[in-house]
Amino acid sequence: MEKLIKKIKDFSELVVFQHSVFALPFIFIAMVVSSSQVNGSPWFGFKLLILGTLAAVTARNFAMGFNRFMDRDIDGLNPRTSNRPNVDGRISARDMFIFVLINAFGFIAVAYFVNDLALILAVPILIIIGSYSYFKRFSYLAHLILGISLALAPIAGVVAVSETIPFWVILLSIGVMFWVAGFDLLYSLQDIDVDKKLGLHSIPSIFGPEKTMLFSKIFHFLTVIFWLLFVIYSQSSYFAYLAVILSAIMLSYEHYLVNKDFRKIDRAFFTVNGYLGIVFFILIVLDNIFFV
């Protein structure tokens, strides 16, 4: 039993399971809004709650597992990542590959039980979220690819509820894309020297810290704009506008932390962005409870 618990902990560390907090709120935000518009109620049912959670978890496990599998050589040469389970021998390449396959088939199986459109989109989604591992080896656009990967979460949520892709969810997803790409730029500042040494393509290694932070600010400004457009086009109300305002404040605070001290990148990356998604979700739920 102890070995099993330890193995579970190792795999949880491999995929940084606690970072699921970034994607989960936005898949459920989309499901809440879609359910309100289609069913007249923000509650979409226990079946979709379970399937939506399983879809988000298996998709993220696939993406992170595949990334760790592909990056074994890179992570081993980076002092910041050299103690990860994919490098220090706690999880073998074979076990990682099996883990990736299990989650890929798990995601497709979940999509099958959701609806036909979800099943059609399942494999293309896996290809997109898995492509990040390749992009950073030849293109600094990898930050946006990571953003697109998480931006698929709201689209998946709407497809699960209504089997359609309305315009408002595209706006929400574009906002998520810029949000994720923006904080990934800040996070990547930690690896600027290693990226240069290993010849990896990242905006920090090519343009330097100052321009990277400027790009991040631009991305997060666009995040707020697209989330505002999402609120307008989804015909949401007061709590949704408050969600956008608080998001702008939290993103500004994130940049304040990083500008003040690069050593606070982890705090800015995880704490601020984690709370942002949760606060956004709570306010959207309240908006759809009181103003539907």
Side-chain angles (χ1 to χ4, degrees):
M1 180 61 71
E2 289 183 5
K3 288 184 178 180
L4 176 61
I5 293 173
K6 184 179 182 302
K7 184 64 69 174
I8 292 173
K9 288 182 178 179
D10 288 339
F11 274 105
S12 177
E13 182 181 342
L14 179 77
V15 300
V16 199
F17 187 76
Q18 63 268 31
H19 285 187
S20 298
V21 72
F22 297 142
L24 275 173
F26 284 92
I27 188 172
F28 288 125
I29 284 169
M31 293 174 78
V32 164
V33 176
S34 181
S35 181
S36 293
Q37 294 184 352
V38 174
N39 304 319
S41 167
W43 177 233
F44 40 81
F46 283 107
K47 176 185 176 181
L48 287 183
L49 175 64
I50 294 170
L51 290 176
T53 302
L54 288 174
V57 171
T58 53
R60 190 178 181 283
N61 283 349
F62 165 80
M64 289 297 295
F66 185 68
N67 180 255
R68 295 292 190 255
F69 177 79
M70 295 300 300
D71 281 2
R72 302 190 307 281
D73 54 340
I74 296 172
D75 287 346
L77 298 173
N78 186 340
R80 186 179 65 82
T81 59
S82 59
N83 62 345
R84 285 177 174 173
N86 60 323
V87 176
D88 62 13
R90 281 180 286 164
I91 301 178
S92 67
R94 173 181 171 274
D95 287 347
M96 274 188 287
F97 186 72
I98 293 173
F99 177 78
V100 168
L101 286 179
I102 289 173
N103 280 280
F105 285 114
F107 179 73
I108 294 171
V110 170
Y112 172 80
F113 286 106
V114 173
N115 56 49
D116 290 342
L117 182 57
L119 181 60
I120 291 170
L121 295 176
V123 173
I125 286 175
L126 290 177
I127 292 172
I128 292 171
I129 64 178
S131 65
Y132 168 73
S133 300
Y134 291 100
F135 263 85
K136 62 186 176 184
R137 296 170 186 264
F138 65 85
S139 173
Y140 58 80
L141 294 177
H143 306 282
L144 283 171
I145 298 301
L146 180 63
I148 291 171
S149 297
L150 270 76
L152 293 172
I155 292 176
V158 168
V159 166
V161 173
S162 65
E163 207 167 350
T164 59
I165 303 177
F167 182 61
W168 60 260
V169 80
I170 295 174
L171 296 170
L172 175 63
S173 295
I174 293 174
V176 171
M177 177 189 73
F178 282 121
W179 170 53
V180 173
F183 69 63
D184 186 57
L185 287 177
L186 298 179
Y187 193 72
S188 297
L189 288 170
Q190 299 175 102
D191 296 328
I192 186 170
D193 293 330
V194 174
D195 287 348
K196 287 180 179 179
K197 181 179 179 181
L198 298 180
L200 294 176
H201 295 264
S202 69
I203 285 178
S205 67
I206 295 173
F207 296 99
E210 291 185 3
K211 288 185 178 179
T212 296
M213 294 175 73
L214 174 61
F215 290 146
S216 179
K217 289 174 183 175
I218 293 172
F219 281 1
H220 282 160
F221 173 76
L222 292 172
T223 296
V224 175
I225 295 299
F226 277 99
W227 282 348
L228 178 60
L229 291 172
F230 148 68
V231 170
I232 294 171
Y233 279 89
S234 62
Q235 298 181 333
S236 299
S237 194
Y238 301 108
F239 283 114
Y241 282 101
L242 179 59
V244 175
I245 293 170
L246 291 180
S247 296
I249 293 172
M250 295 175 80
L251 290 173
S252 298
Y253 179 62
E254 177 179 2
H255 286 275
Y256 166 77
L257 287 176
V258 177
N259 283 332
K260 188 176 181 180
D261 188 348
F262 271 20
R263 289 172 297 181
K264 294 182 178 179
I265 287 177
D266 274 348
R267 178 181 172 189
F269 173 77
F270 182 68
T271 307
V272 176
N273 288 296
Y275 280 121
L276 185 155
I278 294 170
V279 169
F280 205 116
F281 169 69
I282 292 173
L283 289 171
I284 290 296
V285 170
L286 291 175
D287 195 75
N288 282 269
I289 289 175
F290 292 107
F291 296 104
V292 171

